[in-house]
Amino acid sequence: MRLTKTVGDYYLGSGALKNLDTLLKPLQETNNTGKVAYLIDHYFLKSDLKDKLPIRENDILYFIDTTDEPTTEQVDKIAEEFQREGEIIAAVGIGGGSTLDITKAIANLIPNGAKAEDYQGWDLVPGPGIFKIGIPTISGTGAEGSRTCVLMNHAKKLKLGHNSDYTVYNRLIMDPDLTASVPKDQYFYTGMDTFIHCIESLEGRYRHSFADALSDAALSLSRKIFLSDDMQSKENRESLMVASFMGGSAIGNSFVGVVHPFSAGLSMVLGLHHCIGNCIVMNVMDQFYPSQTQEFHRMLEKQSIKLPTGLCANLTDKQHQNLYDATIVHEKPLMNALGDDFKKTLTPSTVRRIFERM
Ligand SMILES: [Fe+2]
């Protein structure tokens, strides 16, 4: 049995961002010369968001390019730059799943050293990272609540996080005002990550009663939000923040299933982003999650979301082999969903047929 780890301290609600100062002050009073590193999604480069932050003269302001999924090389480069800045007392990640994950990885690397890839796996981070605060600006990935930070390692053809209790945020600020400008499609794709985490967790063999309760609650919120007339109403945006946090906390203490490994294959081989990749996979999951796939189709229809199609229709045999390899490598979730003999169910030809429907 493992000690259950979740984020214990958070501000939630409209206007919560103004409490960032309160969270940073005790650290700054203890170490007046230490810097705070703000890692912000480049989406906010031209917005007035930075004017709302308690940034001091010596603090570090770093805009993260989230065009592609986060990589180990990207994290190593930022960590090296930050190491040259002197003592950093806190990292504040402001953005979506990519920014929140990069912030967690940087916070692990700064005091512990090593390269980002050295901690890809389970419980490899040797000690606590620097104090970190997560501020999501889009809801669904659960990165704010999870104990991982997913990174692409292109050299090793691997998509894997620092799965560690040390990766969990120390504090969160969940302010639904920050998700008001999210484009509709992106809002849906990202929100669906929570729905998918929860169904994968609940349908898996591994059971954790607290994770189950969180998943049940997050699922019921997701259903309410994505079957409503205005999924982006103020009330729904706050509910989705809660669902995302609960889904991330649940998955930190359980496992995903079939959808995430296939989605990781799409990211690795075709460069798709995590959340749209999940939706493209979920659309054809009737063999493994029949009722939930139907439910997903109803949500797509209700919100008038059109998914791209024909993605894998004309791939080469080599690309299909790469897709198979990048999917099947995720043994823990696949064993959780299909049992130890998962490769008997997911043969190369079965996997190819599933991808060809996307
Ligand atoms: Fe996910």
Side-chain angles (χ1 to χ4, degrees), residues 35-87:
K35 298 176 180 180
V36 175
Y38 291 87
L39 296 104
I40 304 175
D41 191 317
H42 68 162
Y43 173 81
F44 294 102
L45 193 54
K46 292 195 175 105
S47 83
D48 63 352
L49 176 64
K50 64 177 182 306
D51 304 329
K52 297 176 185 164
L53 304 174
I55 303 174
R56 300 173 309 168
E57 205 179 316
N58 288 331
D59 288 338
I60 304 164
L61 183 60
Y62 192 99
F63 285 95
I64 295 187
D65 185 348
T66 55
T67 312
D68 298 314
E69 296 272 87
T71 66
T72 48
E73 293 93 326
Q74 184 182 16
V75 165
D76 286 335
K77 188 171 159 286
I78 301 170
E80 268 170 40
E81 278 184 43
F82 284 10
Q83 302 277 19
R84 291 195 288 270
E85 290 277 354
E87 193 178 1

Side-chain angles (χ1 to χ4, degrees), residues 193 197 260 274 278:
D193 202 9
H197 287 154
H260 275 71
H274 179 71
N278 280 348

